[in-house]
Structures are given as structure tokens and as C-alpha cells.
Amino acid sequence: MSRELFKSMTYKNGKIYTRQCSNNVFPKDYYSEENIGLTKKYNELGQKDFEKWFITNGLMTGNIKVLSDSNKILQRLNYIANLLWEDTNFMQLKTNENETFRKYLSVKTEREKELANNEYEIVEEDIKKYISSFYDTHMIKFKEKER
């Protein structure tokens, strides 16, 4: 499985520039260029919601690994992702998500499938709200530290 190794991510003029390479490419060259996919998502969501999305869909999936000598933006986002994995409330939500997904896979009728799908969507929304609140809380702490 290929993973992206990120050294830096910066915001410039509505675009996202990254220094990254794939873990299965040799030699590893980390040159800076616009990441068009991330730029598109950034422009759709705005910085705050983009960062929440990046934590959830990049860092927490294991598709992206932040390197130890990364820049402050990536260090901050990776720190929040790591805190989430240690948070008991978040882990309970993830357990509920897994149980709900298993239930969805085992249903037999269309009605049961519809109910299980609705339940799964509710759990997904709860996770999204929790991550959003968690991110906001920790961003306030980061800003207070910077003062």
C-alpha cells in the first residue's frame, strides 16, 4: 500500500503547496509544488473546514504520514489527529461506527437496509461534529499559546 509522506503544506494565494512524495518512490525528492487536489478541496471548504477534512480523510486514514521534520501546519494537524485517537469519546464513536457498519452488512431486507443506512449516517454525522468541535477547541488552545 502506498502512502504519501508530507514534509510541508502551506497556503499561498488560495492554493496549497506541499512538499511530499510517495513512500515507495526512490530516491525521495521533496520538491514544493501546488497540490491541485488539495487546492480544490481548500477552495470548496475554506481553511478551517479544509483542515478538519484533511485530518479525517488524510491523516486518520493512514493515507498520509507527516514526517518528523515537517512544518508547523502539518505538526499541528498531526498533533490533533493523534489526540483524537487517544480520546475515549472519539473512540466510542468509532466503535459505534464499526458496529453500525457491521449491522448494515448483515441485514436481509430492503427496509432493514434503509434503517441501518440511516443509523450509519447519523453516526457519521456525530463523528463529523465531534471532530469539528475537537478541532475548534484545540485551535483555541494553539492560538492562546502563540500569544
Side-chain angles (χ1 to χ4, degrees):
M1 181 175 137
S2 180
R3 292 174 21 162
E4 288 298 309
L5 307 175
F6 273 59
K7 272 196 171 193
S8 74
M9 181 170 70
T10 56
Y11 310 116
K12 292 180 188 172
N13 302 323
K15 296 179 180 179
I16 293 185
Y17 292 87
T18 59
R19 290 180 57 218
Q20 73 184 73
C21 74
S22 179
N23 69 324
N24 58 7
V25 172
F26 297 98
K28 300 211 180 311
D29 291 321
Y30 298 94
Y31 52 91
S32 182
E33 67 180 5
E34 179 188 0
N35 186 312
I36 295 170
L38 293 181
T39 294
K40 182 180 178 188
K41 196 56 123 168
Y42 176 81
N43 289 322
E44 284 175 17
L45 301 173
Q47 183 175 331
K48 186 176 172 181
D49 286 335
F50 166 78
E51 288 187 351
K52 294 172 187 178
W53 175 87
F54 186 80
I55 289 168
T56 305
N57 296 287
L59 299 176
M60 296 187 79
T61 62
N63 294 329
I64 294 173
K65 177 180 168 115
V66 174
L67 300 174
S68 60
D69 58 345
S70 64
N71 70 341
K72 287 184 180 181
I73 292 170
L74 287 174
Q75 287 176 8
R76 176 176 44 83
L77 297 177
N78 196 48
Y79 178 72
I80 292 171
N82 288 334
L83 287 177
L84 273 165
W85 284 123
E86 295 172 2
D87 184 80
T88 55
N89 293 326
F90 177 74
M91 292 310 294
Q92 182 59 49
L93 287 169
K94 291 301 280 182
T95 299
N96 291 348
E97 176 188 43
N98 291 337
E99 290 171 359
T100 305
F101 185 69
R102 274 190 227 106
K103 183 192 295 185
Y104 175 79
L105 293 175
S106 67
V107 298
K108 299 197 182 342
T109 68
E110 284 300 314
R111 178 69 181 140
E112 289 174 331
K113 191 175 197 177
E114 183 180 324
L115 291 172
N117 187 50
N118 290 342
E119 186 178 346
Y120 185 77
E121 288 176 1
I122 290 168
V123 172
E124 286 289 299
E125 188 61 31
D126 289 345
I127 289 172
K128 185 177 177 181
K129 287 177 186 175
Y130 189 81
I131 290 172
S132 180
S133 173
F134 194 89
Y135 170 90
D136 292 341
T137 299
H138 284 83
M139 285 305 295
I140 291 169
K141 291 178 184 179
F142 281 118
K143 289 178 181 176
E144 288 173 356
K145 271 187 175 179
E146 289 176 354
R147 290 183 196 165

